[in-house]
Amino acid sequence: MNIKSVAFRGSFKSYTQCPADGKPEFAFIGRSNVGKSSLINMLVNRKDMVRVSNKPGKTQSINYFLINDLFYLVDLPGYGYARVSKTERIAWKKMIAAYFTNRPGLACVYQLIDIRLEPQAVDIDFTNQLGEWQVPFQLVFTKCDKVSKGDGLLNIQRYFNKLRATWDVLPHHTVTSAEKTTGREAFLDTIRQTLEELNC
Ligand code: GDP
């Protein structure tokens, strides 16, 4: 898929303020520092389209980018940042739950996971939560340039072994590096396929 145009459509505090034009949306979420901003920038071929607005300490917001006038990439605030207060964590959960359960245009959620790490409870819990919300999602293992192929595959295997406790069918996954642009085509292909399935 060619990325022909990219336009920032706004930063919103609640799903109720998000665009209501019904265009399909593809949302990105993961632990803080997982490489979400870098991945989105890599996908759209812009150096710093996604700025640091969702960094810890800043107001948490949902950022919309319109691609090819056809669909949205949605940058959601991340989770798992240690120095966030309990009140902020609860507010985040409420905002995210409301978003995931109230967006009919939600075509796919991409949960990002750092391929260098053994399975983290906070990631597994979030994958299971996506299942409970019954939203379509895929996993994206990031920063693959930082590990050998063998170690990367082992960590993916470990993650799936954990998921097997609750999942019969394992989610689709891609492996990426924003640094080396690895996996860009395969990733964009998952978007193209989903759009085709939606007749877009
Ligand atoms: P976010 O908090 O999830 O948006 O993460 P960022 O995109 O800001 O990335 C966090 C850190 O990881 C930054 O220092 C990035 O340069 C680095 N990073 C992100 N993606 C990659 C990658 O694919 N490879 C490498 N080596 N570093 C990465």
Side-chain angles (χ1 to χ4, degrees):
M1 176 198 283
N2 285 332
I3 304 293
K4 294 177 213 132
S5 65
V6 184
F8 179 61
R9 273 290 176 268
S11 201
F12 310 100
K13 300 273 170 279
S14 157
Y15 77 92
T16 54
Q17 304 160 339
C18 295
D21 55 18
K23 288 192 168 77
E25 52 195 70
F26 297 82
F28 293 72
I29 196 157
R31 262 161 69 110
S32 157
N33 226 34
V34 70
K36 181 163 55 72
S37 314
S38 308
L39 179 74
I40 300 175
N41 286 331
M42 182 269 264
L43 291 173
V44 300
N45 245 330
R46 302 283 192 282
K47 251 206 155 83
D48 50 358
M49 184 186 71
V50 180
R51 277 159 288 159
V52 290
S53 52
N54 276 330
K55 294 292 179 214
K58 298 271 163 89
T59 314
Q60 304 262 287
S61 56
I62 305 173
N63 296 313
Y64 272 69
F65 302 92
L66 180 62
I67 311 298
N68 295 353
D69 271 329
L70 186 63
F71 64 92
Y72 291 108
L73 294 186
V74 181
D75 180 21
L76 295 168
Y79 55 84
Y81 185 66
R83 270 180 277 160
V84 160
S85 70
K86 195 172 172 199
T87 317
E88 283 171 299
R89 226 188 304 272
I90 291 169
W92 172 86
K93 183 108 198 232
K94 220 171 136 186
M95 174 208 214
I96 292 295
Y99 170 82
F100 280 134
T101 50
N102 287 289
R103 296 296 294 173
L106 188 58
C108 188
V109 177
Y110 294 105
Q111 184 192 356
L112 277 52
I113 296 161
D114 190 330
I115 200 169
R116 295 174 299 176
L117 307 177
E118 290 192 19
Q120 305 286 301
V122 71
D123 288 324
I124 299 282
D125 288 350
F126 195 79
T127 304
N128 288 331
Q129 180 66 77
L130 287 171
E132 278 168 38
W133 284 325
Q134 299 192 320
V135 293
F137 75 96
Q138 299 188 10
L139 302 179
V140 185
F141 291 91
T142 62
K143 306 191 186 182
C144 74
D145 61 289
K146 290 271 210 180
V147 286
S148 69
K149 202 165 182 184
D151 285 348
L153 284 173
L154 194 61
N155 280 340
I156 294 172
Q157 214 53 55
R158 286 175 173 142
Y159 199 87
F160 283 145
N161 284 342
K162 291 267 184 200
L163 288 188
R164 281 196 179 89
T166 39
W167 292 82
D168 290 333
V169 180
L170 294 172
H172 182 84
H173 76 279
T174 44
V175 177
T176 62
S177 160
E179 189 78 19
K180 305 262 185 241
T181 66
T182 314
R184 184 173 182 274
E185 291 312 314
F187 189 99
L188 290 175
D189 222 43
T190 68
I191 295 183
R192 187 190 51 77
Q193 265 176 28
T194 306
L195 290 172
E196 264 176 30
E197 283 161 20
L198 295 170
N199 289 323
C200 291

